[in-house]
Amino acid sequence: MVNRIILFAVICICFLACTTDDQEMQLEILQDYIEVNSNLDLDEVIACAASKKGNVNTSFVFYYPIPSATDIKYFETTSIDIDKDNYSLYKEKNLEKEDVFNGYLGRFVRNSTEDVWCIVTYKSSGKFHKSNPIRLKSQSKPTEWTDKVTIDESKSLTPKFLWDDGIVKENRIYFQVITDADNNLLSGTYTYDKWFQYYNLVNVVLNVTRDTPPSLQLMNDYNFTLMGVSEDNWVNLVIQKTFVAK
């Protein structure tokens, strides 16, 4: 009788272990993960990706996490030639995460020579957030990194930044970030135009600035960063430039 009880206990433990493993494996698939969280309201994740400066075998997958974001995950396909909207083809990958602009943004670091589709997800209070599919093109169209931007400072302490597309002419939207000398984000905005003026929102179509940005201080150093993003959320162009407020 004792032996039967022990055998039954062992079988139960093995069954529970196998069930847990199966559930964990299922949740590695994005479609299953979405279904498990179907009780939560669906919301978006603002995300895009770029190849690393000077290294096309490394990609950065950038995302904007709202302050209450938890369980930030990265999923990717095995090929570029698939239906990007078939979430059963996306599998979770455990990639290194890094802070950007002192944690205002985040990014996954992907080391691979394969171009694929990827999606970023996270949760917040009562919501499940999912990005649009991002097409990684570090091999086919590596990101161009430059400092070529015109800064018009004719109006004191309200610099206007003007730029042109780089080698690849496929940008649909532009993300502009102004940071202080310590790399703290002061403003983060999106425009369809090839110009942005601090802090003029007349042509801003999306704003991720949480607080009212401070006025620039005369003769202080600041940084301008721009990302030119294509329709499939790949960053074709990155501009980085330090300037002095005048």
Side-chain angles (χ1 to χ4, degrees):
M1 182 66 179
V2 173
N3 289 339
R4 289 182 179 178
I5 293 173
I6 293 173
L7 178 61
F8 178 73
V10 171
I11 292 173
C12 288
I13 291 171
C14 291
F15 175 76
L16 291 173
C18 291
T19 301
T20 301
D21 288 343
D22 288 343
Q23 289 175 341
E24 289 179 353
M25 288 179 64
Q26 287 178 348
L27 293 184
E28 290 180 351
I29 305 302
L30 178 57
Q31 181 62 51
D32 296 329
Y33 189 55
I34 291 172
E35 291 175 1
V36 166
N37 291 285
S38 60
N39 61 311
L40 302 177
D41 292 334
L42 186 62
D43 209 336
E44 63 179 11
V45 178
I46 300 171
C48 62
S51 59
K52 184 178 181 179
K53 184 178 182 178
N55 183 0
V56 298
N57 294 331
T58 297
S59 297
F60 296 133
V61 181
F62 298 92
Y63 57 90
Y64 170 66
I66 62 176
S68 60
T70 61
D71 298 328
I72 301 170
K73 295 179 179 289
Y74 169 89
F75 298 81
E76 70 174 40
T77 64
T78 58
S79 169
I80 206 72
D81 300 316
I82 53 92
D83 177 5
K84 65 181 176 61
D85 296 317
N86 183 348
Y87 302 138
S88 66
L89 300 178
Y90 291 80
K91 186 175 181 180
E92 183 182 3
K93 300 290 184 181
N94 293 316
L95 302 184
E96 178 187 358
K97 290 199 294 284
E98 296 179 341
D99 287 341
V100 182
F101 305 127
N102 293 329
Y104 203 100
L105 302 183
R107 70 185 182 194
F108 288 98
V109 181
R110 179 181 184 269
N111 296 301
S112 176
T113 59
E114 299 295 325
D115 286 352
V116 298
W117 291 94
C118 70
I119 286 176
V120 177
T121 70
Y122 62 73
K123 298 178 186 177
S124 67
S125 179
K127 292 184 178 182
F128 178 80
H129 301 254
K130 178 182 66 64
S131 74
N132 289 326
I134 304 165
R135 183 166 179 168
L136 302 183
K137 296 186 282 189
S138 61
Q139 303 300 308
S140 56
K141 291 183 180 178
T143 304
E144 179 182 358
W145 294 71
T146 182
D147 61 355
K148 295 179 181 179
V149 58
T150 299
I151 305 177
D152 179 357
E153 297 187 89
S154 57
K155 188 174 181 181
S156 182
L157 301 181
T158 57
K160 184 176 182 179
F161 305 89
L162 305 99
W163 59 87
D164 291 315
D165 284 331
I167 297 170
V168 178
K169 314 292 186 183
E170 297 177 356
N171 299 318
R172 293 294 179 266
I173 198 167
Y174 302 91
F175 179 44
Q176 310 90 34
V177 173
I178 306 296
T179 58
D180 62 19
D182 296 320
N183 209 33
N184 296 307
L185 187 144
L186 305 183
S187 77
T189 52
Y190 286 80
T191 70
Y192 293 131
D193 300 318
K194 297 184 181 71
W195 65 269
F196 168 73
Q197 186 170 22
Y198 188 87
Y199 183 64
N200 184 347
L201 302 182
V202 65
N203 67 335
V204 169
V205 294
L206 179 61
N207 193 348
V208 297
T209 312
R210 294 172 193 155
D211 303 310
T212 301
S215 299
L216 302 185
Q217 299 301 305
L218 194 65
M219 301 310 294
N220 279 8
D221 289 337
Y222 296 93
N223 304 297
F224 171 77
T225 301
L226 174 110
M227 295 184 185
V229 187
S230 60
E231 190 172 358
D232 53 17
N233 299 301
W234 177 251
V235 177
N236 295 305
L237 175 68
V238 175
I239 297 174
Q240 295 176 314
K241 184 76 171 181
T242 298
F243 67 97
V244 177
K246 299 178 181 178

